[in-house]
Amino acid sequence: MRKTFVNILYNGIYQLIILLLPIIVVPYVSARLGKEALGINAFVNATPVFLSVIILFGMNQFGARTIAQAKKEELGQKFAQLWLIQFLVGMITIIGFVIVVLAALDYKGYFLLEIPFLLGYVLDVSWLFIGLGEIKRVVMRNTIIKLAIVSCIFIFVHRPEDLWIYLLINSVTYLANIVFWFDLRHYFSVKQAFRELHWNKQYFWAALTVTMPAMALQFYISFDQTIVGWLAGNAQLAYYSQSQLMCRAITTMVGSVSTILMPKMAQMLVSENGHKEVKRLLGQVLDYSLLAGAYFSAAFMVNARKFVVWFWTPEFAPMGPVLFISALIIMIVSYGSVYATQYTLSRGLFKKYSFPFYIGAVVSLSLNFLLVPHFKAIGGAITIVITEAIVCVLRIWVVRKELPLLQYFANQWKIVFAGAVSVIIGLLLPINFGSLFVDLVLQTIILTLVYLVVLLVLRENALRDIVSRVTRRFRRSGAAR
C-alpha cells in the first residue's frame, strides 16, 4: 500500500504542475497569438489528438491492466505482443492522416507539423510502467516534456505569425517518449521478447473493445472542437476550446487517482474478499472526487466573468458565459470517471465501460449541429455539459446491480447541495474593488468558506474524515515534541 501512496503523491505533484503551467503559459500565448490563431490551433490540434487515441489503441487501459496481472516471466512477451499492435495501428493511422491532409484539408502545412506528435504516441509505452505501478518514471518523463514545451514557447513564440512554431514545439517534444525504451531492460530482455514475437489476435480484439469507446469519448471532447470551428468560426472556437482546456486540466487533476488505482484494483479483485474491499475503496474515492469536483465547478462558475478577462485578456471577455457553463463538467466528469476507470475497467467489464461513450458521441454530434449554429460557443458548452451528464448517468446505471449506490448517494447529495449553495451566494454577493485579482481572491475565499460551512453543518463524511485525519496528525506531531 505504501507504493500506491507514493504513486498517488508523485502523480499529485505532476497534476499540480499540469494545473500551474497553463496559468503561466495561456495568458502569454493568448496575448501573443490572439483569438484567431488560437482558434486555428484548436482546429488543427483536434484531429491529431483524436488520432492519438487510435494509435495508443487502448494500451493505457487494457495494456496497463494486462501488465498489472502478468507474471514476471511473461512480462517481456506480453509487452512485445501489445506494442506490436500499437506500432502497426499507429503506422497505418499516420499514413492515412498524411494522405487525407494532402488530398482534402485546409491548413496543410499546419497539419503536417503534427506528424512528430503522432510518432511520439507510437513510441509511447508509458502504459507498461503504469501497469507495473512505476508511476514515478511516467511523471518524470511527462514533467520534462511539459517544461520543455513551456520553455520553448517563451523563447520562440512572440506574434500571431509564430503559430507554426507553436504547433511544432507542441508536436516535436512528444518524441521524448522514446526515453521509456531505455528503461525496458531493467524489467526483461528486450531482444528475447521481440525474438519470440507473434501476433496475438485475442489481445487485438480486446484492445479494440477498449479503443472504440475511447474514440467515442474523443469524438465529443476533442473532435467537437472541429465541429464548433466549422459552424461558428475560429474566434468562437477559441472561446470554446480555451474554456475546455481549463476545465479539462482541473478534471484531470481531480481524477488522477483513478489512473493509479485502476491497476491496484485489478490486482485486488483476484485476491480473497477483493470485491468487497474494492466496493469500500470505491465509495471513498467517489466521495473525495465529488468533493473536489463540486468545489472547482462552483469556483469557476462564480469567477467566470472576471476570470476570463484577467487570465486571457479583455479580448476574451465574451468567453465568460462559455466558461460558466463548461465549469459543470469538472464535477460531472470527475465523479463519473471513477465508475468507469476504477470499477468497470479494473473488472474487465469492457462492454459496460463502452456503452456510455457511444451514446455520448451520438448526443454530442446531434446537439452540436442543433445548437452551435444558433448559440455559437455557448451552444458548444451546453452540448458538452448535457453530453457528459448523460454519460455520467449511464456509467452509474450499468453498474447499478453490482454496487451499493444508495449507500454512496446518502452522503454525496450533501456535497452537490453545498456546491449549489456556494454558487448562489457567490453570485448574489458581487465584489468590486477595482482590481480583478483582488476580486477573484475575495470571491474564492467567500465561496470556500460557504462550501466548508455547509458541508460541516450537514456532517458530510469525506470532509469529516479529512478533518479527523489532520487533527490526529497534529496531535501526534505535538506529542512527538
Side-chain angles (χ1 to χ4, degrees):
M1 199 67 187
R2 181 179 177 278
K3 186 176 182 180
T4 301
F5 174 77
V6 171
N7 285 336
I8 291 175
L9 180 62
Y10 272 111
N11 202 53
I13 294 172
Y14 173 62
Q15 298 305 329
L16 181 62
I17 292 172
I18 286 181
L19 179 62
L20 292 176
L21 288 183
I23 295 176
I24 299 171
V25 175
V26 170
Y28 176 83
V29 172
S30 301
R32 294 296 186 272
L33 295 182
K35 61 184 180 182
E36 286 292 332
L38 283 180
I40 295 172
N41 174 68
F43 183 80
V44 171
N45 270 334
T47 300
V49 169
F50 179 79
L51 295 180
S52 69
V53 174
I54 300 176
I55 293 173
L56 277 177
F57 211 68
M59 293 303 154
N60 280 341
Q61 296 84 27
F62 174 74
R65 180 175 180 270
T66 301
I67 294 297
Q69 296 178 336
K71 297 178 181 178
K72 186 175 181 180
E73 60 271 17
E74 300 173 334
L75 196 58
Q77 183 186 44
K78 289 183 179 294
F79 166 79
Q81 291 174 354
L82 290 165
W83 187 73
L84 176 63
I85 295 170
Q86 181 181 339
F87 172 77
L88 293 176
V89 170
M91 296 312 297
I92 292 171
T93 301
I94 292 173
I95 292 170
F97 170 73
V98 172
I99 292 172
V100 172
V101 167
L102 294 177
L105 297 184
D106 296 328
Y107 305 117
K108 287 181 173 54
Y110 290 150
F111 274 109
L112 293 177
L113 290 175
E114 300 289 351
I115 292 176
F117 173 82
L118 298 176
L119 288 172
Y121 274 90
V122 175
L123 296 171
D124 186 3
V125 292
S126 58
W127 45 269
L128 170 74
F129 299 94
I130 293 173
L132 293 171
E134 299 290 342
I135 302 298
K136 179 180 178 180
R137 295 177 185 272
V138 179
V139 167
M140 292 300 292
R141 185 287 317 251
N142 288 347
T143 301
I144 291 171
I145 289 178
K146 297 295 183 184
L147 293 177
I149 290 174
V150 171
S151 301
C152 291
I153 287 172
F154 280 112
I155 293 171
F156 299 109
V157 178
H158 304 292
R159 52 183 183 168
E161 291 77 15
D162 293 336
L163 174 60
W164 72 272
I165 300 176
Y166 181 68
L167 286 164
L168 185 61
I169 291 170
N170 281 283
S171 179
V172 169
T173 44
Y174 278 85
L175 291 174
N177 284 328
I178 197 173
V179 299
F180 282 127
W181 287 82
F182 301 130
D183 292 329
L184 297 183
R185 57 189 175 86
H186 298 301
Y187 301 94
F188 53 82
S189 171
V190 178
K191 288 184 179 179
Q192 183 177 349
F194 282 94
R195 190 181 298 124
E196 301 172 358
L197 182 62
H198 65 273
W199 178 258
N200 191 316
K201 183 168 65 174
Q202 182 180 355
Y203 281 178
F204 174 81
W205 290 112
L208 179 63
T209 302
V210 178
T211 303
M212 293 300 289
M215 290 171 60
L217 169 64
Q218 286 300 317
F219 189 86
Y220 65 79
I221 72 169
S222 177
F223 195 67
D224 64 330
Q225 297 185 20
T226 302
I227 297 175
V228 173
W230 281 340
L231 299 177
N234 290 331
Q236 290 292 317
L237 174 55
Y239 301 149
Y240 178 72
S241 65
Q242 291 298 300
S243 65
Q244 289 294 302
L245 174 67
M246 182 58 65
C247 293
R248 296 288 176 184
I250 303 295
T251 302
T252 300
M253 182 190 69
V254 174
S256 62
V257 175
S258 296
T259 304
I260 299 168
L261 289 183
M262 192 271 285
K264 180 70 177 177
M265 285 192 172
Q267 294 172 347
M268 289 170 60
L269 285 168
V270 298
S271 64
E272 187 177 355
N273 296 322
H275 195 255
K276 182 179 180 181
E277 185 64 19
V278 164
K279 287 182 180 180
R280 183 194 65 79
L281 182 59
L282 189 72
Q284 292 179 346
V285 178
L286 281 168
D287 285 351
Y288 286 117
S289 296
L290 188 60
L291 190 70
Y295 171 75
F296 282 112
S297 285
F300 273 101
M301 292 177 78
V302 170
N303 291 309
R305 183 175 60 84
K306 294 177 181 178
F307 182 75
V308 295
V309 176
W310 174 76
F311 190 71
W312 276 277
T313 72
E315 185 183 16
F316 285 80
M319 182 178 141
V322 183
L323 182 61
F324 178 88
I325 297 169
S326 298
L328 285 168
I329 70 172
I330 301 174
M331 177 180 66
I332 296 169
V333 176
S334 300
Y335 182 74
S337 63
V338 177
Y339 290 98
T341 304
Q342 289 194 29
Y343 188 73
T344 55
L345 268 186
S346 65
R347 291 198 61 201
L349 304 174
F350 297 125
K351 290 184 179 179
K352 290 185 177 182
Y353 173 78
S354 306
F355 173 68
F357 293 116
Y358 299 139
I359 301 300
V362 174
V363 171
S364 174
L365 182 64
S366 304
L367 288 181
N368 267 314
F369 279 104
L370 181 65
L371 298 179
V372 172
H374 300 288
F375 302 105
K376 311 290 185 186
I378 292 177
I382 294 172
T383 295
I384 195 63
V385 169
I386 293 175
T387 301
E388 292 290 11
I390 291 173
V391 169
C392 181
V393 170
L394 291 175
R395 283 170 166 171
I396 299 170
W397 183 79
V398 297
V399 296
R400 67 194 183 283
K401 296 180 180 179
E402 302 177 42
L403 296 173
L405 296 178
L406 292 179
Q407 179 181 328
Y408 295 160
F409 297 158
N411 177 68
Q412 291 161 4
W413 72 267
K414 301 173 185 178
I415 300 174
V416 177
F417 180 77
V421 171
S422 302
V423 172
I424 293 171
I425 292 179
L427 294 176
L428 291 177
L429 294 175
I431 296 175
N432 294 291
F433 280 88
S435 167
L436 288 175
F437 180 75
V438 172
D439 290 352
L440 290 169
V441 170
L442 291 177
Q443 285 177 182
T444 303
I445 291 174
I446 292 173
L447 177 139
T448 303
L449 292 174
V450 171
Y451 187 63
L452 294 176
V453 168
V454 174
L455 289 172
L456 289 172
V457 169
L458 294 176
R459 299 177 64 81
E460 192 277 325
N461 293 338
L463 183 61
R464 290 172 65 195
D465 182 55
I466 293 172
V467 173
S468 176
R469 288 174 184 269
V470 171
T471 302
R472 286 200 302 268
R473 181 161 295 184
F474 273 115
R475 286 175 179 172
R476 288 173 188 166
S477 61
R481 293 188 190 126

